Amino acid sequence: MLSPEDIKGLHIEPSSRCNARCPFCSRMQKVRVYGRHLITLDEFRRLPASMLRRLKWINYGGNFGDLCTNPDFPSIVAHMHALNAEVVMGGDTNGAVQSEDWWASLGRAWGRGLMGFCIDGLADTHARHRVGTDFRTILRNAAAFIAAGGAAFWKFIVFRHNQDQVEAACRMAREIGFFGFSAVVSRDYDDRLEAPDAFNVAVKRDLFAALSADQTTARCKPLHKGSIFIAADGTVHPCCQAHIMYITEHNRRFGFIVPLVEKHLAAINFKTRPLADILQGDYFRSVFEQAPPCEYCRIKCGGALPAVRRELIVHREIFKTSA
């Protein structure tokens, strides 16, 4: 079975809250109540320090929330960096809340790795997808983060209404001091947020299906990569997809995970239970038994992810040599 000593990477959702209303977000697909949760600094400190000191990477991306809605987040990052100065950090944010001082404190604590600022266009188009966010506020916060020492990446989702702004946004990213810029395909398109016609695009689910067709078994992430996912409510899962599935039930092919989470929910929360007990408990054991032949797991964890990510990029530039 798995133990904290086996964990090399941690994917953690600092907050379930978000100030934005992006139409294709998983927040719009919930079939279960997933309230306003945060992982506080005190709660983060419950994780084994010995494990945190050995981590190779930590990613602060959330399934349902944005890290910038957690007021403790700079302190969490500073605590993590104090324990492990070599860990490579990553995260994604809309960057639209908190003060410049807050973002500067995060930049000072950040260390190695990249923070992705999701900015989908320029001042006149960005909020058409990132509903409820302000372009100028995001640039102000990103600039404060960068000036304080944080390395940032501009992530631009391409639609028909912003496709002509990709090059201008890339130039702006360079001028502000971003590490790099990437324009990528959306997870979906519709009549309001249309697919670009200036690029050849394929949505993620179709790419996964095509690139995973010959996979006969899944390589479950905790066993293959030594990584786990921790949700803002404190529940610990083998991967972020397990948590998304429980809250949204978005794909019947991954349906086995729902009754498992329901059965073990009280026993898989690191805020109330030692992490070692969770990793060695019945939930993780059951997932490891059932995941390898699961069609959904074969698609998501059959080895196609790097190729899918490359296919989603329509424009990419790196401005600096190191982060």
Side-chain angles (χ1 to χ4, degrees), residues 253-270:
R253 291 175 294 182
F254 196 29
F256 82 83
I257 203 72
V258 174
L260 286 180
V261 177
E262 287 185 329
K263 179 179 180 180
H264 300 292
L265 192 62
I268 60 172
N269 196 307
F270 89 97

Side-chain angles (χ1 to χ4, degrees), residues 34-242:
Y34 185 55
R36 294 170 60 80
H37 301 287
L38 295 173
I39 293 177
T40 66
L41 175 59
D42 287 342
E43 290 167 344
F44 187 83
R45 284 173 169 159
R46 287 183 57 87
L47 294 171
S50 58
M51 178 190 75
L52 297 179
R53 291 189 182 99
R54 287 193 303 273
L55 288 183
K56 300 297 184 183
W57 60 267
I58 182 167
N59 187 282
Y60 300 103
N63 281 339
F64 299 97
D66 195 292
L67 58 85
C68 70
T69 64
N70 185 338
D72 276 3
F73 187 61
S75 299
I76 289 171
V77 169
H79 176 69
M80 181 67 230
H81 194 228
L83 289 174
N84 184 346
E86 297 303 312
V87 68
V88 178
M89 300 198 192
D92 290 303
T93 180
N94 65 53
V97 296
Q98 306 296 350
S99 67
E100 290 179 83
D101 288 343
W102 188 93
W103 283 100
S105 68
L106 181 58
R108 287 190 293 272
W110 188 247
R112 301 176 63 200
L114 293 170
M115 174 68 75
F117 282 82
C118 301
I119 313 172
D120 301 335
L122 300 178
D124 59 333
T125 61
H126 164 77
R128 185 164 172 178
H129 176 236
R130 300 283 169 179
V131 180
T133 68
D134 179 71
F135 177 79
R136 292 177 179 82
T137 298
I138 298 165
L139 291 191
R140 179 202 71 189
N141 291 339
F145 175 81
I146 293 167
F153 209 91
W154 183 319
K155 301 178 72 173
F156 182 121
I157 297 180
V158 181
F159 300 93
R160 190 168 302 177
H161 66 264
N162 66 11
Q163 64 183 7
D164 295 332
Q165 298 179 331
V166 169
E167 291 185 5
C170 188
R171 289 194 299 271
M172 185 177 291
R174 183 191 293 271
E175 292 167 359
I176 293 171
F178 279 86
F179 175 84
F181 173 92
S182 185
V184 299
V185 174
S186 174
R187 68 167 57 178
D188 253 320
Y189 294 102
D190 61 18
D191 292 340
R192 180 176 174 274
L193 295 168
E194 297 177 285
D197 55 16
F199 306 96
N200 293 321
V201 301
V203 296
K204 185 185 293 186
R205 61 177 173 273
D206 296 334
L207 289 169
F208 264 117
L211 293 171
S212 304
D214 61 345
Q215 295 296 329
T216 58
T217 187
R219 298 182 295 180
C220 205
K221 286 183 178 180
L223 296 179
H224 179 61
K225 291 187 175 181
S227 66
I228 56 174
F229 175 80
I230 300 179
D233 63 357
T235 56
V236 183
H237 304 270
C239 64
C240 65
Q241 295 297 328

